[in-house]
Amino acid sequence: IVLAQCLLMVMFRPQRYAAPFIPKHQGSFKLEHLIIIVSIFITVFLWCFKPALAVFGSEGVVACIPIFLFYGLGILNKEDFNNLPWNVIFLVAGGTVLGAAVESSQLLSMVAKTIHDSLQHASLWHVYCVFSLFTFLVSSLVSHTVASLIVLPIVAEVGASLGHPRLIVMGCTLACSGAMALPVSSFPNMAAIGLDNEVGKSYIHAQDIIMAGAPMTLFSATVVMTFGYALMTMIHF
């Protein structure tokens, strides 16, 4: 975190700008605020509660709950709908479709099998590093969520064949979270690149994400493959 903060301070030099004045909000707590808070807690709870997901079918169906509530009760209106960041939404959808295409074509399965076959006589740490790097690459290209849904089942199978499924899966899970090299690598990246100021100019461009995200992805990969592996080995994970 400290290293990332230092990198951002050097890149964007915030000392050149004065902090904006933020007026104090004078509004009172209303019923609609309570509805929003309750909706957030219900949605997050249903996302985390596996039996509920079995009833609703998927996380996407659960995500429709606040949409129906907010628009159905008039908390949001047509103008709010038109002002949604559709560029970010389609960016997320494009990454999801890309991941679905890779999964349905069995491309990742073929790549993972090729990697596994080439590492038959390699050490556990070697296998751990190769699959972690593979996960970093895939997560950077098709987003954390899509990569975890596609890669982790394959990694779990490979880890089980080596007798260390938990170690390999946890390393690749950390790799999914640590990949941030491209605008499509995560939803926060996509949301950040879609933010505009009052005159319609983007605060952050794609090259800004790459210049900051690529070094941090390399640093995260180094930490996961060294300190992460050592820590999980010590606790017999």
Side-chain angles (χ1 to χ4, degrees):
I1 295 174
V2 175
L3 181 62
Q5 179 65 24
C6 293
L7 178 62
L8 294 176
M9 294 287 287
V10 171
M11 283 185 57
F12 296 104
R13 291 178 289 172
Q15 65 273 13
R16 296 179 299 170
Y17 308 99
F21 174 73
I22 302 177
K24 184 178 180 181
H25 185 64
Q26 301 293 336
S28 58
F29 191 83
K30 299 179 181 179
L31 177 61
E32 64 182 29
H33 300 141
L34 179 61
I35 294 174
I36 293 172
I37 294 173
V38 172
S39 301
I40 292 173
F41 278 105
I42 291 176
T43 304
V44 173
F45 172 77
L46 292 177
W47 276 337
C48 301
F49 192 53
K50 293 271 184 198
L53 284 180
V55 174
F56 284 93
S58 69
E59 293 88 346
V61 177
V62 174
C64 292
I65 294 176
I67 298 176
F68 295 146
L69 283 176
F70 297 160
Y71 284 104
L73 298 176
I75 297 175
L76 297 176
N77 53 35
K78 184 172 73 173
E79 183 179 352
D80 297 315
F81 182 82
N82 292 332
N83 290 331
L84 287 173
W86 290 105
N87 57 333
V88 177
I89 293 173
F90 281 109
L91 194 60
V92 175
T96 305
V97 170
L98 178 62
V102 172
E103 182 180 19
S104 63
S105 65
Q106 301 296 314
L107 178 61
L108 276 183
S109 299
M110 294 168 58
V111 173
K113 186 178 184 304
T114 303
I115 295 174
H116 179 239
D117 293 341
S118 64
L119 297 173
Q120 286 288 349
H121 304 290
S123 64
L124 177 61
W125 182 74
H126 191 184
V127 175
Y128 173 89
C129 290
V130 169
F131 274 98
S132 295
L133 288 173
F134 175 66
T135 306
F136 269 107
L137 177 62
V138 175
S139 297
S140 295
L141 294 175
V142 297
S143 85
H144 299 170
T145 305
V146 177
S148 62
L149 291 173
I150 299 173
V151 175
L152 290 183
I154 301 172
V155 170
E157 183 179 345
V158 173
S161 66
L162 297 173
H164 296 276
R166 299 178 65 200
L167 176 67
I168 305 294
V169 169
M170 180 55 71
C172 292
T173 301
L174 296 174
C176 284
S177 300
M180 59 192 87
L182 300 175
V184 296
S185 298
S186 67
F187 185 78
N189 286 15
M190 300 174 193
I193 203 173
L195 287 177
D196 299 329
N197 60 15
E198 59 274 6
V199 295
K201 184 178 179 181
S202 298
Y203 287 106
I204 299 177
H205 300 88
Q207 59 266 29
D208 298 322
I209 296 285
I210 296 172
M211 289 177 62
M216 290 311 304
T217 299
L218 293 174
F219 178 74
S220 299
T222 303
V223 172
V224 168
M225 292 186 296
T226 55
F227 178 75
Y229 178 82
L231 179 60
M232 287 187 284
T233 303
M234 284 191 298
I235 64 176
H236 304 289
F237 195 80

